[in-house]
Amino acid sequence: MTKDTKNPPIDRVDGRMKVTGGANYFADFELPNMAYCVIVGSEIARGTITSLDTKKAQGAPGVLGVFTHQNRPPIPGWDATVGGPADGPPPKPKTEETYRILSSPKILFDGQPIAIVVADTYERATYAASLVKATYAKQAARTDLSKHVAEGIAPGGSGDYSRGKADAHQTAPVTLEAQYTIPIEVHNPMELHGILAHWTGPDTLMIYAKTQGVNATQNAMAQAFKLDPKNIHVHTEFMGGGFGMGLRTWPQETAVVAIARKIGRPLKLVMNRSQMFTLVGHRPYTVQTIRMGADQTGKLVSISHAATAETARYEDFTEATVNMTKFMYACPNVSTRYRIVRLDRSVPIWMRGPGEATGAFALESAMDEMAHKLNLDPIEFRLRNYTETDPEHNRPYSSKHLKEAYQKGAEAIGWSNRKPQPGSLREGNWLIGYGMSTGVFNAFRWEASARALLKADGSLTLQSAVTDIGPGTGTALTMIAHNVLGVPVERIKVEYGDTSLPKAPSQGGSAIVSAVGSAVFDACTAIKQALIELAVKDGGSLAGRQADELTLADGILSADKEPGKKVTVSELMQANNLTVIDRTKESKAGPDHQKYSVYSFSVHFVQVRVNPMTGVVRVAKAVSVADSGRIISPKTAASQMIGGVAGGIGMALTEEAVIDHRFGRFVNNNFADYHVAVHADVPAIETIMIDKPDPIINPMGAKGMGEIALIGFAGAVANAVFNATGQRVRHLPITPDKVMQKLV
Amino acid sequence: MAQNEHPGDALETPDASRRNFLKQSSALAALALAPPVAVKAIDTGWDQKIATAFDPLPLQVTINGTMQNLSIEPRVTLLDLLREQLHLTGTKKGCDHGQCGACTVHVDGQRVNACLTLAMTTEGSTVTTIEGLAQDNQLHPMQEAFIKHDGFQCGYCTPGQIMSAVACIREGHASSPEEVREYMSGNLCRCGAYANIVEAIMDVKQGGKKV
Ligand code: FES
Ligand code: FES
């Protein structure tokens, strides 16, 4: 970006497709002779299949095959490997079990696929699936993390962390020790998971997927089927939300590909909603303990943060739950510990904000509790422990405008109306409370590539394999290209979500605008240079001028100091017999990135209303402030922030996947019983963007915001409930029973 | 709040295909009422025979202004009919249980969950899906408003939200943001675009254009 100006809001470039039903998600594709399949899941959480009757299913009308551990077609790249996930190297330490779909009668988790039924129509496959009958030798399943916290093991890779004195909090003047729990939460994107697989030749494969990364799916399938990635074409232009569940290729996808090959027809799987709870990951149940010490002046003396999370017996899943504690506040003595417990559960996966959202709930609740003990305003307490350098890595932040974010958010929510004494604000029958919390997430910039094609008619096409799961990637890329080349927004076309396009990382970790955006920036910059070179070369229409004396806008290159001296892009290209200027660039973080800690920050403010008679908590107002560098596309960025608020309201107040531990099975695995936030739960939301470019991360100065939109929000609600009622709920979600239990 | 309120009296239509359907379906119902018989039927390999009761039956329904003469299995839902047979894939499946609203369409002007509607029950009805909302390439005001207010992210719930939103106004349930939130609560949006969707609906309502 040459000039430090804010970007104007533009409409989502794929908006028209989305409002007309023209956007095609994987299940919308139709192929000739396509067959359908349905997964039959196990009815126990641990044990062995003793008999599996598939005869009736096999004989049902339209059935093309019933596949179980007895006859699943081979998956060459898997069947040889043992231990650990099928789509990656075995973890260390080695896991207790190995899970390869339909390869053994052993049951490792509730809902584990025991059969896949294929028929010529969806209805026939569904009916036949109901005819598959299994009997089991059951074993007692361990699914309740709260009973097994002591059995946590240190996962390979991430060690314990400490700086300063261990347990300095023992001598701190003011201390706090509290335990916080996050239940199992499920991504539950609106689009059901599945895959449409089509073998276009003996060794060539076309896949319509629900994946956050087409290149990742391509590689996983190449590994599984021992194929050259070039022979695998993966397409995911539109994805109906992912929130992390599409960050890996799930075993059932691979099984469908294998079965499609066997039956010789394109094969479509669309899972049902209850399978979304068991087969595509979840946010793990996590128990955290925070011990915090401070002195009377409000300075932190120590924080220790321990987290224990569930994982599967067949795969170790870890996330950065305790990381925020290491660098968020100026505090001399800090220690963190992270453990996992292997249970008879399916494996978790990152869910929006991932571990950081879990950790932020604990840390930011504890900060609120400590502020209260110290008689300090929660913002003031955070300011007294504010740090301009990262205390974990002893290096500066690339940019941090958190103070400004606190101040702007506080003004917008009306923080001055907050009473420090809990339970002292009322409106009619409702208790009113205010709460706030901070969020932070690493601002990544991964390697990515993009291609830009400028045509002589002045139109521009951008290409990258990146998938857009919803944040508006295409819109942001359009804005970036517009800023470099001055091509009007409506003349820019973005092609994405397909492995035939230049490689891109998976959409996750809030990194796509930074990664792919930089590649687009570089490709467009290369085109601009090419145009300038054509113009200034001998005989060119702007011969002799310097590049920095020229401006490119609306398809016209003009000399700054010579009014009227200009050439259109079309003229320039025609004069040089060019129909297109085509540049592909690979782009990655520069060496400076390592010298800084590069983070995005957010602050969430809420006003809650709590009904003391019923315990109902309503979020009445929400303000979210993002300090994530330059905002590329203000409109879609605001939507990401309000989306984080809606997700945060669910996380704070309603979301919990409940297991009946006698059976190790879910009791609320559907949308009627697992409550995501609905219209009536979500108020009007104010979003505030600090919108100051980060000088380090990338040429646009833009940091990611998908995660920070959610991280911290649940803590803000818990803190507001405390302010409203004087009751501290440390176990999410904050349901009326928990509020009432404390109130009566 | 998309409710399955099929109005009118389609079932009384004196129509041969309808009678045929009723006859066959009551034979099935009788079977269901006699569990031992049904169980025995399956045990003795009658599946194939039972399944013949699911043989395609005729269905006449107007979809997005086009009269369709179809032949479908009676167990097919309106949602799967639209998506898998008529290639009208704008209507989405989010749960198949009437719990999410992604499949909302209009049947005789009322919003219904297409996943909870057996296609056969739409005999003689008029169905409008998201593909039928824009007229002559001119977006419906609600579609325009969703773009203007960015009432979506991933776009998956969007067709259902828009169909529901149009009905919400037509029903007279859009007099305030609070009322809209209440009457739109059957349409889930996991991306959390709610605040923008409510703005879009209020904008259309206040804009006074015909919806
Ligand atoms: S798919 Fe019909 S309500 Fe969810
Ligand atoms: S826009 Fe993604 S679910 Fe609503």
Side-chain angles (χ1 to χ4, degrees), chain B residues 79 92-104 113-116:
Chain B
L79 176 58
K92 302 299 183 207
K93 183 183 283 190
C95 69
D96 226 5
H97 281 66
Q99 299 172 338
C100 78
C103 64
T104 307
N113 289 333
C115 71
L116 287 189

Side-chain angles (χ1 to χ4, degrees), chain A residues 364-435:
Chain A
E364 291 296 286
S365 291
M367 287 296 285
D368 199 72
E369 296 200 46
M370 184 54 100
H372 185 70
K373 281 193 179 219
L374 293 166
N375 261 326
L376 278 176
D377 180 281
I379 300 177
E380 176 57 27
F381 180 46
R382 283 170 175 83
L383 291 177
R384 287 193 193 177
N385 294 286
Y386 198 84
T387 175
E388 296 288 1
T389 55
D390 169 0
E392 180 190 1
H393 302 100
N394 289 317
R395 61 190 179 195
Y397 294 109
S398 59
S399 64
K400 182 177 178 185
H401 306 284
L402 197 48
K403 280 185 182 168
E404 186 181 338
Y406 286 138
Q407 181 224 327
K408 288 201 160 140
E411 267 166 38
I413 197 83
W415 190 253
S416 56
N417 297 322
R418 177 182 181 272
K419 299 267 176 287
Q421 187 54 41
S424 46
L425 262 185
R426 247 179 201 277
E427 248 181 63
N429 288 330
W430 295 81
L431 292 164
I432 310 291
Y434 291 85

Side-chain angles (χ1 to χ4, degrees), chain B residues 11-33:
Chain B
L11 286 178
E12 262 110 67
T13 314
D15 160 287
S17 67
R18 169 65 57 186
R19 277 199 304 276
N20 215 353
F21 163 59
L22 288 176
K23 224 191 306 169
Q24 298 210 25
S25 63
S26 39
L28 262 188
L31 198 54
L33 287 174

Side-chain angles (χ1 to χ4, degrees), chain B residues 6-22 57-63 67-72 78 81 107-108 117-127:
Chain B
H6 189 302
D9 48 11
L11 286 178
E12 262 110 67
T13 314
D15 160 287
S17 67
R18 169 65 57 186
R19 277 199 304 276
N20 215 353
F21 163 59
L22 288 176
L57 294 169
L59 167 69
Q60 199 175 65
V61 55
T62 303
I63 299 177
M67 168 84 81
Q68 301 272 2
N69 285 303
L70 304 165
S71 171
I72 62 162
L78 177 57
L81 171 68
V107 175
D108 293 333
T117 306
L118 285 171
M120 291 306 289
T121 67
T122 63
E123 173 72 32
S125 299
T126 297
V127 175

Side-chain angles (χ1 to χ4, degrees), chain A residues 425-432 609-618 724-725 727 735-744:
Chain A
L425 262 185
R426 247 179 201 277
E427 248 181 63
N429 288 330
W430 295 81
L431 292 164
I432 310 291
R609 304 161 72 84
V610 183
N611 189 316
M613 303 294 290
T614 62
V616 162
V617 178
R618 311 281 302 158
T725 63
Q727 308 301 340
T735 44
D737 55 315
K738 290 178 197 161
V739 178
M740 284 310 283
Q741 202 177 25
K742 302 231 170 185
L743 279 177
V744 284

Side-chain angles (χ1 to χ4, degrees), chain A residues 11-12 14-16 18-25 27-30 34 36 56-57 59-61 121-124 127 131 186-192 238-241 243 268 270 273 351-352 469-472 635-636 638-644 646-647 655 670-674 676-685, chain B residues 42-43 47-48 50-52 54-55 73 75-77 80-81 83-85 87 89-97 99-102 130-131 133-134 137-139 142-144 146-159 161-162 180-182 184-199 201:
Chain A
D11 290 345
R12 205 172 277 265
D14 49 10
R16 193 179 169 102
K18 286 177 176 173
V19 301
T20 53
N24 285 325
Y25 302 77
D28 299 342
F29 289 92
E30 204 233 328
M34 183 169 79
Y36 296 77
K56 287 178 188 128
T121 72
Y122 169 70
E123 289 77 14
R124 288 171 152 188
Y127 172 66
L131 301 174
V186 183
H187 307 67
N188 269 322
M190 292 304 298
E191 182 191 24
L192 295 162
F238 291 97
M239 179 168 175
F243 312 108
K268 175 152 107 176
V270 176
R273 184 51 63 182
M351 176 165 159
R352 194 177 194 180
I469 62 175
K635 208 159 160 173
T636 52
S639 290
Q640 261 190 294
M641 293 303 284
I642 68 165
E655 286 187 44
N670 61 74
F671 269 147
D673 298 314
Y674 180 96
V676 304
V678 304
H679 271 285
D681 296 319
V682 180
I685 299 156
Chain B
I42 289 169
D43 280 348
D47 305 6
Q48 194 68 44
I50 294 172
T52 55
F54 289 121
D55 268 358
E73 288 187 5
R75 62 181 162 182
V76 172
T77 64
D80 290 324
L81 171 68
R83 290 184 52 79
E84 305 298 340
Q85 299 187 36
H87 317 305
T89 51
T91 306
K92 302 299 183 207
K93 183 183 283 190
C95 69
D96 226 5
H97 281 66
Q99 299 172 338
C100 78
I130 190 73
E131 290 93 343
L133 204 56
N137 222 12
Q138 179 67 43
L139 293 184
M142 192 63 75
Q143 292 172 312
E144 302 264 17
F146 267 64
I147 295 175
K148 176 172 160 206
H149 294 276
D150 209 36
F152 42 60
Q153 284 203 48
C154 76
Y156 195 80
C157 73
T158 311
Q161 299 279 358
I162 290 176
V180 166
R181 282 186 201 115
E182 210 54 47
M184 287 296 291
S185 276
N187 286 87
L188 307 185
C189 175
R190 190 55 161 158
C191 297
Y194 297 126
N196 289 355
I197 295 171
V198 173
E199 275 181 29
I201 298 174

Side-chain angles (χ1 to χ4, degrees), chain A residues 35-79:
Chain A
Y36 296 77
C37 65
V38 169
I39 294 176
V40 182
S42 87
E43 298 143 300
I44 64 165
R46 180 175 190 172
T48 310
I49 300 171
T50 47
S51 74
L52 196 51
D53 180 2
T54 59
K55 254 209 348 257
K56 287 178 188 128
Q58 234 133 19
V63 169
L64 300 166
V66 179
F67 297 92
T68 70
H69 65 274
Q70 285 147 346
N71 65 339
R72 189 255 281 154
I75 299 171
W78 279 17
D79 295 335

